[in-house]
Amino acid sequence: MKLENRAPAEGINASNENPLIELAWLLAGSLGVIVALVIVVSLAAQWIAPRIPYRYEAKLAATLPSFATAPDNEPGRRVQAELQALADRLAARLDMPDGMVVRIGYRDDRTVNAFATIGGQAVFFRGLLVKLDNENALAMVMAHELAHLKYRHASAALGRGVAVGVILSVVSAELGRNAAAGVLGQAGMATLLSFNRDQERAADEAALSALHAEYGHVGGAIDLFEVFARLPNEQRSPNVPAVEFLRTHPLTANRIAAIRHWAADNGAAIDGPRRPLPPGIAALRK
Amino acid sequence: MLDLIEFGLFVTLLIVGFFAGTIVEKRHYASIRKREREYADVLAFAVRFPPDRVTPQRAFLVHGTVVISSDYFKTFVAGLRNLFGGRLRTYETLMERARREALLRLKHDARRQGAKLVICVRFETTTISTGWAASIEVFAFGTALIPERDTGLAFGARSALPA
């Protein structure tokens, strides 16, 4: 036997391929899969959640603390009662789901926002109320939030959030504590946010028809978005959960154009007499 | 904002991992190839028995061990690869470097003790970290032989490597 050592083989056990090419393929593939999965699952959850009878949502909401609260003082309770009365009037025009009892909360906070959440609840912040000049503009916000409730957008958002959360937690468990999980999570969340705009348009349209039915014109909607157009940017994005009124909305200018368009299509007047704000809410401005 | 900082940190780590890892790997390969030529006269085989069973031999254990770490880039690419399956190319170079390095250290040990022949060479490997960056230990061991009446390579083993 003749024994000899030869130089180790090069390029057989380890490849010379540029690892950046592999990275590019893997990133594109995994992001594509995650985005597709998030889109499919969130669309499915968004489709299923509003079809689950409302009483299950009410049961779930009953296990959580109520959102429909107000500051424990006379002006606070008065504002809440006035908001509730307006909500009841508009809800009658919106054909709300069977069994849904709309309850409105009020927060003495400078945040310029309002949001709708599960269990037929909507919350208004003082910061928003003091910006409004008349009841018509307030009614536009109210009808918009009620439309979110009517279409069960809050439960759709919850269902979607839970479903996507499950996917992303499975993905991150697969990857361990790898940083890859973080990146994939970011991509998933970006997909999630971009969905809400269609819901906002649907809510705007339902709100406009309620406004038209209640006041005979949709001038309040234009007043409202003109107020928003004057807001400095930092006041437009408060950190409030659930379906927010401002954060995920189409651009204000687009919305004013959409209102005029809707009014033209539906033969609604875009101007008419405005009603004054209820006294308790009007008193907030002083 | 916090998300942006986190993302920036991640991209920075990835870039640093890639460039630092590439430089370290290139240098390591250059050093391995250079030393493989230097140690060409120390022969290592996987055979279980000495080729020359006539001449009495002195035999003793020699070993070489190396601990080598992945970098952020390699680990990230491997993490993505785990989703799809296939060759973990970024770890293949890591493992190859570790094995060749361990064998070189074994030869160093053998030469230090006056042996020019090591038989029954085996490799063991241990994962010593399962955190965000994988690290491995490769351990090479074998039986060094020195003929009692050392007349050089009495049994006809020779190196094909340039000395």
Side-chain angles (χ1 to χ4, degrees):
Chain A
M1 179 160 57
K2 248 194 155 142
L3 292 167
E4 56 181 294
N5 269 183
R6 293 183 174 179
E10 302 277 357
I12 295 177
N13 298 320
S15 86
N16 292 324
E17 193 186 285
N18 190 340
L20 289 177
I21 296 169
E22 186 178 7
L23 174 70
W25 274 111
L26 288 172
L27 266 186
S30 52
L31 291 181
V33 168
I34 293 291
V35 168
L37 205 62
V38 166
I39 288 174
V40 168
V41 169
S42 54
L43 282 178
Q46 200 171 313
W47 185 84
I48 292 167
R51 284 165 175 78
I52 296 170
Y54 174 72
R55 60 197 156 90
Y56 294 105
E57 186 189 320
K59 212 186 256 179
L60 177 66
T63 64
L64 303 170
S66 173
F67 281 93
T69 57
D72 191 18
N73 54 40
E74 183 47 36
R77 279 191 291 272
R78 191 167 169 206
V79 169
Q80 188 189 21
E82 286 171 359
L83 289 170
Q84 184 69 51
L86 179 64
D88 292 341
R89 252 165 52 215
L90 290 167
R93 301 198 178 273
L94 273 162
D95 187 23
M96 302 300 278
D98 285 343
M100 186 183 284
V101 180
V102 172
R103 288 172 304 146
I104 308 299
Y106 166 62
R107 300 278 181 281
D108 188 7
D109 186 297
R110 51 198 285 273
T111 305
V112 186
N113 213 345
F115 66 89
T117 187
I118 59 166
Q121 303 175 97
V123 176
F124 282 72
F125 290 88
R126 177 173 51 83
L128 174 70
L129 296 180
V130 297
K131 301 272 190 230
L132 305 175
D133 303 317
N134 55 56
E135 187 192 287
N136 301 56
L138 174 61
M140 179 61 191
V141 187
M142 181 65 80
H144 179 97
E145 298 309 328
L146 294 180
H148 277 311
L149 298 176
K150 166 187 162 80
Y151 293 131
R152 311 272 311 276
H153 287 163
S155 60
L158 183 69
R160 198 175 56 210
V162 170
V164 171
V166 168
I167 293 183
L168 296 183
S169 66
V170 167
V171 168
S172 60
E174 267 305 300
L175 296 178
R177 285 180 295 261
N178 200 316
V183 178
L184 299 180
Q186 299 280 328
M189 289 317 289
T191 318
L192 203 58
L193 277 175
S194 65
F195 272 151
N196 294 334
R197 291 168 196 234
D198 287 341
Q199 298 180 333
E200 299 300 343
R201 287 199 188 92
D204 268 356
E205 286 185 8
L208 287 171
S209 49
L211 213 60
H212 184 224
E214 179 72 15
Y215 300 102
H217 64 90
V218 294
I222 292 178
D223 293 351
L224 177 69
F225 292 116
E226 279 171 355
V227 167
F228 285 157
R230 290 195 299 269
L231 282 182
N233 265 326
E234 68 271 20
Q235 287 191 16
R236 297 191 199 183
S237 53
N239 285 315
V240 181
V243 185
E244 295 171 34
F245 191 68
L246 287 172
R247 193 167 165 191
T248 56
H249 278 68
L251 291 169
T252 304
N254 293 352
R255 287 174 90 179
I256 294 180
I259 292 165
R260 293 182 188 280
H261 196 80
W262 183 92
D265 284 353
N266 292 275
I270 55 167
D271 206 4
R274 310 289 200 263
R275 271 190 225 166
L277 285 167
I281 295 171
L284 293 174
R285 293 165 67 91
K286 286 176 191 128
Chain B
M1 189 58 202
L2 206 66
D3 292 349
L4 209 66
I5 293 172
E6 261 178 32
F7 187 72
L9 194 67
F10 161 73
V11 171
T12 311
L13 285 171
L14 206 60
I15 292 171
V16 169
F18 175 70
F19 284 105
T22 306
I23 292 169
V24 166
E25 187 156 287
K26 272 200 177 130
R27 283 190 185 165
H28 192 197
Y29 264 126
S31 153
I32 286 172
R33 288 185 188 117
K34 178 168 163 280
R35 282 178 296 142
E36 275 168 354
R37 286 192 296 275
E38 284 171 15
Y39 285 99
D41 59 323
V42 182
L43 301 173
F45 300 106
V47 293
R48 286 175 65 200
F49 299 105
D52 173 8
R53 298 200 208 177
V54 180
T55 314
Q57 310 268 345
R58 278 193 292 133
F60 51 90
L61 184 77
V62 286
H63 69 266
T65 176
V66 62
V67 178
I68 193 166
S69 172
S70 170
D71 55 60
Y72 199 87
F73 178 85
K74 282 188 173 63
T75 308
F76 177 74
V77 173
L80 287 179
R81 177 56 77 188
N82 282 339
L83 287 177
F84 298 98
R87 282 178 72 175
L88 278 174
R89 286 191 180 80
T90 53
Y91 282 171
E92 283 178 348
T93 52
L94 197 71
M95 291 301 298
E96 196 198 23
R97 279 159 55 202
R99 293 206 184 91
R100 284 166 76 169
E101 180 68 40
L103 188 62
L104 278 169
R105 290 180 184 188
L106 174 142
K107 288 184 173 184
H108 180 85
D109 188 21
R111 181 193 271 175
R112 189 178 59 83
Q113 302 191 64
K116 288 192 165 182
L117 176 66
V118 184
I119 61 163
C120 205
V121 173
R122 301 288 181 262
F123 288 92
E124 295 275 347
T125 180
T126 315
T127 307
I128 56 166
S129 153
T130 52
W132 61 268
S135 306
I136 45 149
E137 184 223 28
V138 171
F139 176 55
F141 58 97
T143 307
L145 297 176
I146 302 177
E148 288 284 6
R149 184 169 46 79
D150 194 351
T151 55
L153 301 173
F155 45 85
R158 64 182 181 84
S159 170
L161 276 79

